[in-house]
Amino acid sequence: MRSASSRAEQADQRRAELLAATRRVVLEKGLANTRIADIAKAVNVSGGLIHYHFATKDELITAMLRATLDVESARLEEIVRGPGTAVRRFDRVLDYYIPQSRADQSWLLWLDAWNTALREPAVNAIVLELEATWLRAIERVITDGVDGGEFACDDPAGAAERLDAMLDGLAIRYTLHPDVLTQERLLAHARTAAAREVGLSPEAFSA
């Protein structure tokens, strides 16, 4: 007879599989068009098994977005706390922020989530937490630079808000219209804006 711990591990593994499948299906069909039946087919299980682990589709979608946020937040924390000068860490934050390609799965997912957040309070709450996570990270790395004498910025929180909003707008434009704005130009804009906020030249970020 299996122990309670092994059953719990098996349940956790199954939930992880369902969350991964949900992410794949959502990226293909979009949040609004994804059905439990689509996810069940992707994992080759019954809809009843999915409902055993997640009572509703909304609960499953929310759990998938939460898991994605947790992974990305942990990676961002590693970058902010990582080695090197504040300039180098800030540059790595900027590079992590912007889409790596027009098909960047993270950005496609969060763009879809932003749209859904207009009507779904649970998704709205996760999107708000995502924004807060990025704002804290940018503010902290700027504050570190100010404290270490690398940056000159009287309002790190305000600088973070301005950069966050600008980067979101540029990333949306790049994702929707890559022929108008290239990834290289997007990064150049990000570095220029960041440099202005902390009293440096843009070349300081790419040196």
Side-chain angles (χ1 to χ4, degrees):
M1 186 174 182
R2 288 178 300 174
S3 66
S5 61
S6 65
R7 290 196 298 272
E9 290 173 0
Q10 186 178 46
D12 288 344
Q13 181 178 356
R14 175 59 75 181
R15 284 174 62 89
E17 291 171 354
L18 293 175
L19 293 177
T22 301
R23 180 183 169 96
R24 292 195 302 272
V25 173
V26 165
L27 285 167
E28 178 185 350
K29 295 180 176 293
L31 284 166
N33 296 322
T34 294
R35 304 173 303 158
I36 288 291
D38 299 321
I39 300 166
K41 181 178 180 182
V43 196
N44 196 27
V45 300
S46 68
L49 178 63
I50 294 178
H51 284 300
Y52 174 79
H53 292 280
F54 302 95
T56 65
K57 185 189 104 169
D58 288 345
E59 182 181 323
L60 175 55
I61 293 295
T62 302
M64 181 272 292
L65 292 174
R66 165 65 57 189
T68 300
L69 174 57
D70 289 345
V71 170
E72 294 182 3
S73 296
R75 175 58 186 146
L76 183 57
E77 182 72 10
E78 289 178 0
I79 294 172
V80 171
R81 290 180 173 273
T85 63
V87 173
R88 295 277 70 76
R89 286 182 286 126
F90 199 0
D91 198 38
R92 287 194 288 268
V93 167
L94 296 175
D95 187 61
Y96 186 53
Y97 199 118
I98 67 174
Q100 297 306 299
S101 72
R102 185 174 181 270
D104 187 303
Q105 292 189 350
S106 177
W107 265 99
L108 293 176
L109 181 62
W110 291 120
L111 285 174
D112 197 0
W114 278 342
N115 181 56
T116 303
L118 291 171
R119 299 169 185 83
E120 298 292 341
V123 175
N124 190 299
I126 293 176
V127 169
L128 182 61
E129 187 174 343
L130 172 71
E131 290 294 321
T133 297
W134 276 101
L135 286 170
R136 286 194 303 269
I138 296 172
E139 180 182 355
R140 195 164 80 188
V141 77
I142 292 175
T143 300
D144 286 350
V146 171
D147 292 343
E150 294 181 53
F151 300 157
C153 179
D154 295 332
D155 182 16
E161 289 179 335
R162 289 186 290 273
L163 286 170
D164 180 73
M166 186 207 72
L167 289 170
D168 282 348
L170 287 173
I172 291 170
R173 187 181 187 195
Y174 166 68
T175 302
L176 296 179
H177 306 291
D179 294 335
V180 175
L181 179 66
T182 65
Q183 201 261 3
E184 291 77 13
R185 188 163 176 77
L186 197 169
L187 181 57
H189 285 324
R191 285 171 167 167
T192 298
R196 288 172 178 169
E197 291 287 357
V198 298
L200 298 178
S201 67
E203 292 74 18
F205 285 92
S206 56

